[in-house]
Amino acid sequence: MNPTAVRLISALIPSRKARHAFRDRHAAPKTKPAGDSFAAMDKRLKAIEAQLNLLVHFCFQKEIYPEFGKKLRVGFPAEDATLAQLVGHSWANSGIGASVKSQYISEQISLAAAMIHILPDDELFRIFRKIAELCIPGSANFNAVLGHWNWVLWRTGKHEENLRLMEEFFPAGTEIPPHIFRRFIASAQSAGRDELARQLMRKYHKKFLTKELWKSHMTAKLSAELGMRDAEIDFVCSVGDEITGNARTGTLEKMLKGKRVAVVGNGPQEVGSENGAKIDAYDVVIRFNDFPENPEFRRDYGSKTNIWVRSLWVEAPHRKSIPDVIVGEALHSEFPNLKIMREVAGMRPAHIFAIPAEIYYEVHAYGVNHPTNGTLTLAWIKKLCPALSAEDCYGFSFKDETVPKALTHYYDSPSLQKGTAHNLNKERAFLRELFGLKGD
């Protein structure tokens, strides 16, 4: 019998003794038992990893391409029985060595990370807890799963819950990795627990000095207030203060009041429409990320740009001059680096804005776990300009009668080469409801 078939069939046999008997009966003769061969164990481990990687991929695709699930006969989201079965088979077929167990847990963490964009928060947190309880406190796997858990709680505004997570898994005296530590500090600030935030920041300074405190405006600001600053912290504070000042005074709302606003996405829906002149006739035109400025698209997409929505995660060509910039979710996300923020500041726009955290929370509450900047911007502009209608939105697939199978642009965009983890179906449903379009 084919060795691969032997391994696959034996994996379904629950009894260890019967499983080995089946292998001995059908496997090709070996001079040394497979269980004693490091190379054989390594092959089995790679097969397990490949299966788990397939599950990760399935997790990304399950709602965007439902038919994909028919090709995989494993229940998802991860029911207890399925996980238990998979754990049993994987560990049994790998010899249950400590390194193999650690590798398996690592794969489960990758699977959970994929689920961040798919599962409801409660289900996701249940899975995080199950994995964390398998890990040795302080180990790399423990810190990895707590890092994901801590990130989701902070990102979705569950700050008190995040602080309870700290108390449960990182009791006093426990070493906390800096990236997790920073989010605990930010959660304490967001929850209005100022004294706790200051206490945590002083502990952070003692252990890590100012390491990467520039990654969020809140932690940078607090560090500077406590007298610990560097060039990066000063830069983030400067830009962040401008953004929060514009938010406090309602600058963007005042700018858009009484104006005709067009929001132009990067989808191919306008190709051949000859809507360029119509778009340019609006008082304010908003565009996104790496939109092209070359003349060949002007007939359909126009050329006017008043506000540029700039993600901190997407490369885009340099713009010589755009009046105003929205730097995505700069104040309730983490800067991957300061390169893009420095580029934006170097353009010297009249105003710099950021999408408010409340908008993210509203979209997330609808079930869109990882919304695009396009969806977040539309939700924000619609709130500021209630008169904005679907007819004022160009290059967006939510207006189509058919559901798109993938995120596409009307030009060759490097930002799409790595694919997308966004749930386009959920975003479409949210936007159609937002703009009063009939359901599918």
Side-chain angles (χ1 to χ4, degrees), residues 21-189:
F22 178 87
R23 288 177 182 170
D24 293 342
R25 196 162 55 247
H26 295 284
K30 295 180 182 291
T31 57
K32 192 175 184 181
D36 295 335
S37 168
F38 178 82
M41 177 180 285
D42 186 56
K43 283 184 179 180
R44 287 196 298 275
L45 180 56
K46 287 179 178 178
I48 293 164
E49 291 172 355
Q51 181 186 22
L52 291 170
N53 285 333
L54 179 61
L55 297 182
V56 170
H57 180 66
F58 172 62
C59 225
F60 272 119
Q61 302 294 331
K62 67 180 280 285
E63 291 193 5
I64 298 174
Y65 302 111
E67 63 274 13
F68 183 84
K70 298 175 184 177
K71 301 177 183 178
L72 193 64
R73 300 183 183 279
V74 178
F76 259 85
E79 297 93 346
D80 289 345
T82 300
L83 280 178
Q85 186 182 47
L86 189 57
V87 168
H89 290 167
S90 297
W91 290 2
N93 291 330
S94 303
I96 322 183
S99 62
V100 173
K101 178 178 178 180
S102 177
Q103 179 64 42
Y104 174 76
I105 292 174
S106 178
E107 290 291 344
Q108 285 292 293
I109 293 170
S110 297
L111 182 60
M115 290 179 178
I116 287 174
H117 307 305
I118 300 294
L119 294 182
D121 290 346
D122 290 346
E123 175 69 8
L124 187 63
F125 299 153
R126 183 186 69 82
I127 293 171
F128 284 153
R129 178 172 292 280
K130 289 183 67 174
I131 296 175
E133 289 171 351
L134 291 173
C135 300
I136 299 171
S139 66
N141 279 337
F142 179 84
N143 290 334
V145 70
L146 265 295
H148 290 304
W149 195 350
N150 154 267
W151 181 85
V152 174
L153 288 170
W154 166 74
R155 189 81 165 86
T156 56
K158 298 177 175 65
H159 300 299
E160 289 290 355
E161 192 172 341
N162 201 18
L163 295 175
R164 289 195 292 273
L165 186 77
M166 177 181 68
E167 293 171 358
E168 179 179 357
F169 287 95
F170 296 101
T174 305
E175 185 168 326
I176 307 176
H179 64 292
I180 299 176
F181 207 154
R182 289 193 303 271
R183 296 181 202 131
F184 285 145
I185 295 171
S187 280
Q189 292 174 275

Side-chain angles (χ1 to χ4, degrees), residues 259-263 282 286 377-393 434-435:
K259 302 287 182 66
R260 294 180 63 247
V261 179
V263 185
Y282 279 83
I286 301 173
T377 301
L378 285 174
W380 188 25
I381 301 302
K382 178 66 172 173
K383 178 164 285 191
L384 297 178
C385 304
L388 185 78
S389 70
E391 286 69 32
D392 302 315
C393 304
L434 180 70
F435 285 100

Side-chain angles (χ1 to χ4, degrees), residues 214-230:
W214 54 264
K215 277 188 168 288
S216 90
H217 175 246
M218 294 188 75
T219 54
K221 186 80 172 172
L222 180 58
S223 183
E225 289 173 359
L226 293 178
M228 290 289 282
R229 57 201 313 154
D230 53 30

Side-chain angles (χ1 to χ4, degrees), residues 316-337:
H318 176 71
R319 314 290 182 184
K320 291 182 179 179
S321 177
I322 292 179
D324 300 293
V325 179
I326 297 173
V327 283
E329 311 156 66
L331 294 192
H332 66 105
S333 183
E334 291 179 319
F335 302 118
N337 55 61

